[in-house]
Amino acid sequence: MTELVSLDDVRAARELLADVTRTTPLEPSRPLSAALGGPVWLKCENFQRAGSYKVRGAYVRISRLSAAERQRGVVAASAGNHAQGVALAAGLVGAHATVFMPANAPLPKVVATKGYGAQVELVGATVDESLVAAQTFAERTGAVLIHPFDHRDVIAGQGTVALEILEQCPEVRTIVTGVGGGGLVSGMAVAAKALRPDVRVIGVQATGAAAFPPSLVAGEPVRLPAFSTIADGIAVGRPGDVTFTHVRKLVDEIVTVTEEDISRALLMLLERGKQVVEPAGAVGVAALLAGAVEVEPPVVAVLSGGNIDPLLMMRVIEHGLAAAGRYLRVTVRCSDRPGQLASLLGQIAEHRANVVDVEHQRANPHLRLGEVEVALSVETRGVEHSDTLISALRASGYQVSIAPEA
């Protein structure tokens, strides 16, 4: 049986991190507080050094290596946040770091990892495949593998987030955080349950990469046959052996959220909270917004990272607007006569909707003679406004179809 990390382990990790990491702020969220009927706070680990909580566990693990181990260097596998945490921590203790990242890892995370001094190797399509390459590298070179989540030192380091939360919000009743391999939620549960057994600790996974629910049912870590999500930071196909034991014994509940839920959360955090957060960092907020879990306020949701690719941010914002009913894609069939397009656009303007782009097609073989199809992307004020606009266009004789999400 795996021995659980203790509160003393977490406290010792905090001492190691005293001059390394920041005590990140706890910010109130008015939209979430209003929605849940009680105080909701955001633990802003997106403001942490290297942009996420990962540096906490990475530094604790690497700082405890012997001089001989540091001399051999360290190796890690990551989609980006653990990579940056390891690169930063290794630099602080004077060890060379090699990091294996998926071939499709976000460019800003790759550049940042290199900027902290690590050698980056792009291997595989997933973190799991990169981890295999990192393990092979460790066996061949003697470099010490710094696992992204499945190590006691890493878990203890991540648990320091909960120590800060309990000091910043001593009245907290529920803590919600994202879950990939389980290092963060395991460490936080260790600290929270030791100091405040009444506090509920809830983990959130993306539906497309939710390895913990079937593993908990099976009673052992289960590998997903395939997984995919925009939340690359928690796209892990199998729980760790060590983290699984902690989650099964200490975490109250694991829930899942959809890509649409995550997109809405990112949009809300950007618009209302002025927070730049990556998809994996927003899944806790997504669960609260979607009502995926019953919680007792005061609630603290952890924003675990802010390292988002600007190109992904653009796509996520558009997707979030669509999911919130504020970005409408429609095709409209109408007669092919002069002034018809101007009339259509004028009617949309009368309803105070904003046309983002328009495509006028005559060559579609499905169109009747004398008929054209107009594809429109329109900004609206929400679902009700979108419904009103569509109803008005149909009442005017237009054939309107809502385009499926790309």
Side-chain angles (χ1 to χ4, degrees), residues 136-324:
T136 300
F137 179 89
E139 293 169 0
R140 186 178 77 249
T141 66
V144 180
L145 178 68
I146 308 301
H147 199 282
F149 50 83
D150 209 33
H151 192 279
R152 294 175 56 83
D153 287 342
V154 173
I155 291 171
Q158 319 306 29
T160 60
V161 177
L163 294 182
E164 293 178 14
I165 289 173
L166 294 173
E167 292 170 357
Q168 294 167 318
C169 184
E171 68 275 18
V172 64
R173 301 287 298 179
T174 309
I175 297 175
V176 184
T177 188
V179 177
L184 176 60
V185 75
S186 294
M188 293 182 65
V190 166
K193 293 299 184 179
L195 293 170
R196 285 279 308 280
D198 59 307
V199 171
R200 293 190 72 223
V201 178
I202 299 170
V204 185
Q205 294 203 288
T207 301
F212 265 100
S215 297
L216 291 169
V217 170
E220 62 182 5
V222 172
R223 183 174 298 280
L224 297 175
F227 53 96
S228 177
T229 174
I230 59 171
D232 62 281
I234 55 172
V236 178
R238 180 188 184 277
D241 294 323
V242 181
T243 56
F244 176 79
T245 300
H246 284 75
V247 170
R248 183 174 59 178
K249 292 186 177 181
L250 299 174
V251 175
D252 293 282
E253 190 174 0
I254 299 287
V255 300
T256 61
V257 291
T258 66
E259 306 292 274
E260 287 74 20
D261 295 333
I262 298 170
S263 295
R264 290 190 189 99
L266 287 166
L267 187 63
M268 187 279 287
L269 287 166
L270 188 63
E271 282 192 314
R272 301 295 303 277
K274 316 308 175 191
Q275 298 271 5
V276 176
V277 182
E278 63 188 276
V283 293
V285 170
L288 298 179
L289 282 176
V293 61
E294 292 186 8
V295 297
E296 181 181 356
V299 179
V300 174
V302 180
L303 305 182
S304 58
N307 297 314
I308 185 169
D309 184 340
L311 294 177
L312 175 61
M313 179 181 286
M314 291 170 58
R315 295 196 297 271
V316 165
I317 289 173
E318 181 177 305
H319 190 81
L321 288 170

